[in-house]
Amino acid sequence: MEKWKLYWINNKFDPISNCFVIAGNMRSARSVEYSQYGEGYSDIVGEFVCNIPERVVSNVDSVYKKYINYRLKRVKIDNYQEDWREEEKFLKSILRKKYTAKDLWPNFADDWVLKELGVDEYFLNGRQAFRLSEKIYTVPAVAEIYFPPVGRDSREGMIGSVSEFSSFIRERCGGASWLYRGQRDAMWKLESGVERYNRKFILSQKRVDVERKILSQFKLRAIPYLEVNRIPTNDWEWLSIAQHYGLPTRLLDWTRNPLFALFFAVSNSNSDRDAVVYAYSHGRNPIDISSRRDPMSIDKIEVFEPPHLSQRVALQNSVFTAEPIFENSKNSWQEQAKIIRWMVPADSINNIRRELEAMGVDESSLFPGLDAICSSLRRRMEAGFES
């Protein structure tokens, strides 16, 4: 049986096309990249990464079709704003065939193979990065190749310091209508917890039915643990409490304070990958829950301002967006909405975290309680109490 290998191809002529290729030998791997562009063969350099495990090669048909079946289940959801039927037809045609390794390779390495090999994909200082067995392979950003920055802080759309971020906000986010959200991994999608859960596990029942059942169970079990004067009066408020305590819901957390969002982006990061901050302007007033009492019936993204049922909601200036089921809604993002994305490079995260702490933006101010105080002090100990 032919031995298949994973190679990293570095294209010196066009570095943004650097990629993984599966082939039987180095020459074949370089030819895959060359066939895509038809020039610069001498500029294409290959590096052996690892052998493709026998369990993948011998079971390539079942492993590949498992990936195709997953895509088939997701196709309508992921292409809710496009005509998804053509892709569905194409995917079904794949499932009707029998595949061996020679039918698929030599070729560029698809996501399913990289996942089987344990490749971790993320962003590192503005570059797309892949980690396998502690070795990191990167693809330069387009701007890095064609519009090289003059200095380190010139990286377009990158937050290098708190002052730089504040300048971005002043220049692009005038007015109090903007909402902000920070995420510690720039690869993560901007989506609600229940949608992430659905994407990962593919719920066997209709998503909205699962949401209703889970919320109903939460309401039954949560009442003994709530203060008498803070028991929710409608499903919107129940959702916000459930979201606060970690239940996957259709709500997505935002804040009106951009520095809080920046803190959430860097606070739990290991500084081994880029974080991200989003700014969002809804373009419409928050939803009036007195006239739209069922959060499961919305057909577009709505902004929901929760009552201060918990201290943290008030301290963090929390606001939620509520997502519909996108496959049922072709006009979820209305024309008035605006969204901006800034990445926080890994090499700036520790410095930004220290700057925020010096400004009083830390765990103890946003998560009141003894656990947050100890977490904040632990960070200061690790930093040698620099301040």
Side-chain angles (χ1 to χ4, degrees):
M1 183 178 292
E2 184 173 0
K3 292 288 186 180
W4 295 98
K5 304 173 181 68
L6 182 69
Y7 294 92
W8 176 253
I9 300 299
N10 188 347
N11 190 330
K12 296 181 179 180
F13 177 75
D14 187 12
I16 62 173
S17 66
N18 292 356
C19 62
F20 287 111
V21 166
I22 297 175
N25 54 62
M26 181 70 74
R27 182 175 181 179
S28 177
R30 293 175 66 199
S31 295
V32 170
E33 176 78 356
Y34 178 72
S35 66
Q36 181 82 3
Y37 298 95
E39 57 182 341
Y41 185 80
S42 61
D43 293 320
I44 298 172
V45 178
E47 176 186 346
F48 171 76
V49 178
C50 67
N51 290 311
I52 304 298
E54 181 59 30
R55 62 176 174 80
V56 175
V57 176
S58 59
N59 297 295
V60 70
D61 183 71
S62 60
V63 178
Y64 180 47
K65 286 180 177 176
K66 180 181 178 181
Y67 166 72
I68 296 299
N69 270 309
Y70 173 81
R71 283 183 56 189
L72 190 59
K73 290 178 180 178
R74 291 290 312 175
V75 66
K76 187 176 178 181
I77 299 173
D78 292 339
N79 297 280
Y80 62 89
Q81 290 182 323
E82 303 170 8
D83 185 0
W84 49 270
R85 291 177 179 80
E86 283 301 314
E87 184 175 357
E88 182 183 56
K89 182 179 178 181
F90 170 70
L91 293 174
K92 286 181 176 179
S93 71
I94 292 177
L95 295 176
R96 289 193 289 268
K97 301 176 182 178
K98 180 78 173 177
Y99 294 91
T100 66
K102 288 184 178 180
D103 295 322
L104 302 178
W105 307 320
N107 209 336
F108 297 105
D110 286 330
D111 291 344
W112 66 273
V113 184
L114 299 180
K115 184 177 180 181
E116 286 291 323
L117 297 175
V119 175
D120 181 20
E121 182 180 0
Y122 55 102
F123 285 103
L124 181 64
N125 299 320
R127 290 183 162 202
Q128 186 179 15
F130 305 87
R131 186 198 303 270
L132 179 61
S133 301
E134 302 308 314
K135 180 74 181 288
I136 298 174
Y137 307 87
T138 63
V139 179
V142 173
E144 183 180 345
I145 300 300
Y146 298 107
F147 309 100
V150 176
R152 188 180 76 76
D153 292 333
S154 300
R155 292 177 292 192
E156 184 179 359
M158 305 287 273
I159 302 170
S161 65
V162 173
S163 61
E164 189 173 44
F165 179 54
S166 298
S167 297
F168 288 155
I169 297 300
R170 286 194 298 270
E171 293 167 5
R172 304 193 61 183
C173 302
S177 64
W178 286 84
L179 311 178
Y180 305 91
R181 176 178 172 82
Q183 298 183 168
R184 62 183 174 88
D185 191 333
M187 286 294 295
W188 290 352
K189 292 185 177 182
L190 192 60
E191 60 186 359
S192 67
V194 74
E195 181 55 26
R196 286 196 301 274
Y197 195 89
N198 187 34
R199 179 164 51 83
K200 183 176 181 179
F201 297 104
I202 306 293
L203 300 175
S204 57
Q205 304 176 51
K206 287 186 177 179
R207 200 194 89 178
V208 68
D209 293 338
V210 174
E211 287 185 87
R212 291 188 188 281
K213 289 178 182 178
I214 293 298
L215 182 61
S216 177
Q217 286 294 309
F218 177 76
K219 290 160 71 173
L220 286 173
R221 300 183 185 188
I223 288 179
Y225 303 97
L226 299 175
E227 297 179 28
V228 175
N229 62 339
R230 291 191 174 183
I231 294 178
T233 59
N234 57 64
D235 280 354
W236 285 98
E237 294 178 3
W238 275 112
L239 271 185
S240 68
I241 292 292
Q243 171 79 6
H244 175 70
Y245 286 100
L247 190 69
T249 75
R250 60 175 53 203
L251 301 182
L252 191 64
D253 298 85
W254 298 78
T255 174
R256 294 196 182 279
N257 190 318
L259 293 185
F260 291 175
L262 184 59
F263 170 80
F264 291 130
V266 304
S267 62
N268 292 316
S269 171
N270 293 324
S271 305
D272 64 339
R273 62 193 61 209
D274 296 353
V276 66
V277 176
Y278 290 96
Y280 175 63
S281 177
H282 190 54
R284 293 185 293 114
N285 292 328
I287 192 168
D288 179 7
I289 61 174
S290 64
S291 61
R292 193 69 179 272
R293 299 192 64 82
D294 182 12
M296 310 302 181
S297 67
I298 60 174
D299 58 3
K300 58 173 66 70
I301 289 178
E302 300 286 358
V303 166
F304 165 50
E305 296 182 324
H308 294 165
L309 295 176
S310 74
Q311 187 180 23
R312 289 183 182 180
V313 169
L315 286 172
Q316 295 172 13
N317 289 346
S318 294
V319 183
F320 296 114
T321 50
E323 297 178 1
I325 297 177
F326 289 127
E327 62 183 286
N328 299 333
S329 176
K330 291 189 176 182
N331 298 307
S332 312
W333 292 94
Q334 61 277 5
E335 293 181 0
Q336 306 99 308
K338 299 177 183 176
I339 192 159
I340 303 171
R341 181 175 184 264
W342 295 288
M343 292 175 68
V344 187
D347 60 9
S348 298
I349 286 176
N350 286 334
N351 180 59
I352 289 174
R353 188 186 292 142
R354 286 192 292 267
E355 289 180 332
L356 288 171
E357 288 176 351
M359 298 170 68
V361 182
D362 59 11
E363 288 98 331
S364 61
S365 61
L366 293 175
F367 301 96
L370 294 178
D371 53 346
I373 292 174
C374 291
S375 177
S376 178
L377 290 174
R378 235 182 357 255
R379 285 197 185 278
R380 293 189 63 193
M381 288 173 63
E382 293 168 1
F385 278 88
E386 298 175 2
S387 59

